[in-house]
Amino acid sequence: TKQIIATQEAQDVEPNKIGMPTGEIWSRDDLLNRLLLISANDAAYALATASAGSIEEFQVIQNSIARNLGMKDSSFGDPSGLDDALAKNGATAMSAYDVAIGARALLNNPELAAIVTKPNYQFTGGDGEIHILTNHNDTLLSGYAGSNGIKTGYTQKSGRTLVSSATRDGQTVIAVVLDVQETDQWAVSLMDEGFEYLTNAVKD
């Protein structure tokens, strides 16, 4: 398992969720779980630097990947998705459609797709402590048939957000909800509508 050294930027980002003092060594797999299950900003910063060499170079790579995936209404700056004055390298902005494109790409990656379906994850961190993460998307994972995850979120400009997915009878739907309080209810409504459309399409 690849080991990642915590950077000063990862230590300083707010909120950092668990905390990664500069120089601590953390497992890449543990950081991916922290990022996807509890939206740990410090994990996002550490992974970005480890993968690209710097936050600035990660921004270039991330925007290039977005274009290759077909995203047309997104601009990536801060690797954790911050969109306020705390954002490093500029705010990140995405349309709901582009979020769905990113979600589809995640589901096509077996390693990442497996992470977002976990109800919880336990590991010993670079600080020597045992950590137990509870998936922020646990309500839909346990309560919506066929749920695949994917991720909750919050920023000052986007409000409460949720990208969710479910698979039934070999068909997968993805729902993106932005800036609403009742994210789970909206996601369920959209996914129900998606499955109903697919069912009717098959009948036709």
Side-chain angles (χ1 to χ4, degrees):
T1 302
K2 184 175 180 180
Q3 302 297 300
I4 293 177
I5 300 175
T7 62
Q8 185 69 45
E9 291 165 321
Q11 174 182 297
D12 293 343
V13 64
E14 297 181 16
N16 57 27
K17 292 297 182 183
I18 290 180
M20 296 174 61
T22 303
E24 276 191 353
I25 299 175
W26 291 72
S27 159
R28 168 188 171 274
D29 292 348
D30 294 341
L31 293 184
L32 282 173
N33 277 272
R34 287 177 58 192
L35 174 64
L36 293 172
L37 298 184
I38 66 168
S39 300
N41 289 347
D42 52 359
Y45 272 55
L47 287 165
T49 302
S51 63
S54 69
I55 298 296
E56 292 74 18
E57 185 59 27
F58 182 78
Q59 177 187 21
V60 174
I61 294 172
Q62 192 174 23
N63 280 291
S64 176
I65 291 174
R67 289 192 296 272
N68 290 338
L69 288 173
M71 296 182 186
K72 297 180 179 180
D73 299 304
S74 296
S75 177
F76 295 95
D78 188 278
S80 66
L82 292 175
D83 58 9
D84 55 22
L86 296 175
K88 182 175 178 60
N89 249 33
T92 286
M94 299 180 71
S95 67
Y97 186 80
D98 283 1
V99 172
I101 290 176
R104 182 178 61 188
L106 181 146
L107 291 174
N108 286 331
N109 182 306
E111 179 184 12
L112 302 182
I115 290 175
V116 297
T117 62
K118 295 177 182 177
N120 50 66
Y121 180 73
Q122 179 173 317
F123 66 99
T124 300
D127 54 5
E129 300 292 329
I130 296 176
H131 299 273
I132 301 176
L133 311 179
T134 298
N135 194 323
H136 285 183
N137 193 36
D138 57 340
T139 301
L140 286 185
L141 280 174
S142 61
Y144 192 80
S147 178
N148 305 316
I150 297 173
K151 194 175 184 305
T152 64
Y154 174 83
T155 69
Q156 288 189 357
K157 292 183 178 180
S158 69
R160 288 170 54 84
T161 65
L162 174 64
V163 53
S164 53
S165 173
T167 300
R168 296 176 183 174
D169 299 325
Q171 299 278 5
T172 297
V173 299
I174 295 171
V176 178
V177 178
L178 306 176
D179 196 22
V180 295
Q181 286 298 313
E182 304 300 334
T183 54
D184 290 346
Q185 289 88 328
W186 276 94
V188 166
S189 177
L190 287 171
M191 289 192 290
D192 283 348
E193 184 176 341
F195 282 122
E196 182 178 358
Y197 173 82
L198 291 171
T199 299
N200 291 335
V202 170
K203 290 179 181 178
D204 293 342

